[in-house]
Amino acid sequence: MHTLQLAMIDLHCHLLPGVDDGPGSLEDAALLARAQLAAGITELAATPHVGYNWPLTAELMPTALAELRRYLADRQIPLMVVAGAEIEALYAAELSDTNLNLLTLGDGEWLLVEPPTGHTGGTFEMIITELQARGHNVLLAHVERSADIQSDPEILRRLVDAGVLGQLTAASLSGGYGRRTQSFALGLVGAGLVHNISSDAHDTAGRPPGLAEAIDGAGLDAYCQWWCRAVPQAVLTGVAIPRPPAPWPPVVAQRRAFNRFLPRRTPTDG
């Protein structure tokens, strides 16, 4: 199926209004929801920021989500919205297991964890490893923009080998965050370290939705069904993550520039 005809699932969207730097009102949230539908998204996880600068708590989220669902239904906007959160890694380390379990994506057991923007000297990797040791499954948000991973891609390799999933922002593939991030993002794809591509949409203008055009533009449409449908569905429902399509990893032109940082993973690797 062509990418543009695929019913996709977006695992990272700031759709809940008035709680973070996403839509400021239900009306703005409805505009973003319509834009998601126009971009081919039929289901998404509403993932507001949860961290030191965002007072939203797990107890408040069900009420906010229910209000949004009613608002969209009343306006006949047929977008399926499930629960979720984008949790700052350092903040996640301080939360109890009970609170973390209230912040999973959909009905599954995966946490969407945001890496720190700055360098942590190894703290970030230790936090993710500890979260796993506590029994939590971790999907790492916008791995291509992590300073630690950019400095040492082997951090992501080790985490992936331990069961972590890597999430990429679609706009990075099309140069929305600059050429360096674009090249690095494509290198991560070529190394087989990207398991999901999401929008990280906040609004309809500055940080809009859209997956298909960026994936098609990078020549990676053969993997869209896995990144944007199969893996997200497994994450949201709690079933096993499906194997990627063959050949894996995808071959991208930017691999040559990336090889000096990260060795190629063989197609037989998980």
Side-chain angles (χ1 to χ4, degrees):
M1 177 180 291
H2 192 275
T3 302
L4 294 175
Q5 298 172 322
L6 179 67
M8 292 172 283
I9 301 172
D10 191 349
L11 286 183
H12 189 168
C13 178
H14 296 262
L15 187 64
L16 285 187
V19 296
D20 62 0
D21 54 348
S25 66
L26 285 165
E27 292 84 355
D28 290 339
L31 289 175
L32 179 53
R34 288 192 175 96
Q36 285 279 20
L37 286 169
I41 306 301
T42 58
E43 181 177 0
L44 64 76
T47 54
H49 290 289
V50 174
Y52 297 107
N53 295 323
W54 309 104
L56 184 66
T57 65
E59 293 76 15
L60 295 176
M61 290 171 66
T63 300
L65 181 59
E67 183 180 15
L68 175 62
R69 284 171 169 167
R70 285 193 300 270
Y71 191 86
L72 297 181
D74 289 344
R75 282 147 188 81
Q76 298 182 339
I77 300 174
L79 180 67
M80 182 180 296
V81 183
V82 301
E86 181 185 13
I87 317 166
E88 293 178 13
L90 300 178
Y91 190 76
E94 299 179 5
L95 293 178
S96 68
D97 292 329
T98 298
N99 282 332
L100 286 172
N101 288 334
L102 294 173
L103 298 171
T104 56
L105 296 165
D107 295 323
E109 299 178 347
W110 289 86
L111 300 171
L112 179 63
V113 178
E114 180 181 27
T117 56
H119 295 282
T120 68
T123 300
F124 161 62
E125 185 177 2
M126 288 190 295
I127 286 173
I128 302 305
T129 300
E130 176 61 23
L131 287 174
Q132 288 184 290
R134 290 165 57 183
H136 300 288
N137 294 324
V138 175
L139 171 63
L140 283 179
H142 41 70
V143 290
E144 77 281 8
R145 288 185 275 144
S146 161
D148 281 342
I149 294 172
Q150 287 179 352
S151 296
D152 182 8
E154 283 294 340
I155 291 174
L156 184 58
R157 166 77 79 208
R158 290 191 294 270
L159 291 174
V160 167
D161 286 344
V164 166
L165 299 182
Q167 183 185 86
L168 194 74
T169 303
S172 294
L173 291 177
S174 54
Y177 291 94
R179 287 187 177 182
R180 183 177 185 276
T181 298
Q182 180 185 32
S183 179
F184 189 73
L186 288 166
L188 293 178
V189 168
L193 298 176
V194 174
H195 307 86
N196 170 244
I197 294 180
S198 69
S199 73
D200 192 6
H202 285 59
D203 50 49
T204 59
R207 299 177 71 176
L211 306 178
E213 290 185 359
I215 293 171
D216 281 353
L220 295 166
D221 55 295
Y223 299 89
C224 187
Q225 196 277 339
W226 188 68
W227 280 326
C228 302
R229 183 73 191 180
V231 170
Q233 199 164 50
V235 166
L236 294 178
T237 58
V239 302
I241 303 299
R243 292 186 62 83
W248 185 256
V251 176
V252 294
Q254 285 77 3
R255 183 197 294 281
R256 291 192 300 274
F258 197 71
N259 275 344
R260 61 194 176 99
F261 298 112
L262 195 67
R264 178 175 178 173
R265 169 173 287 192
T266 65
T268 56
D269 289 335

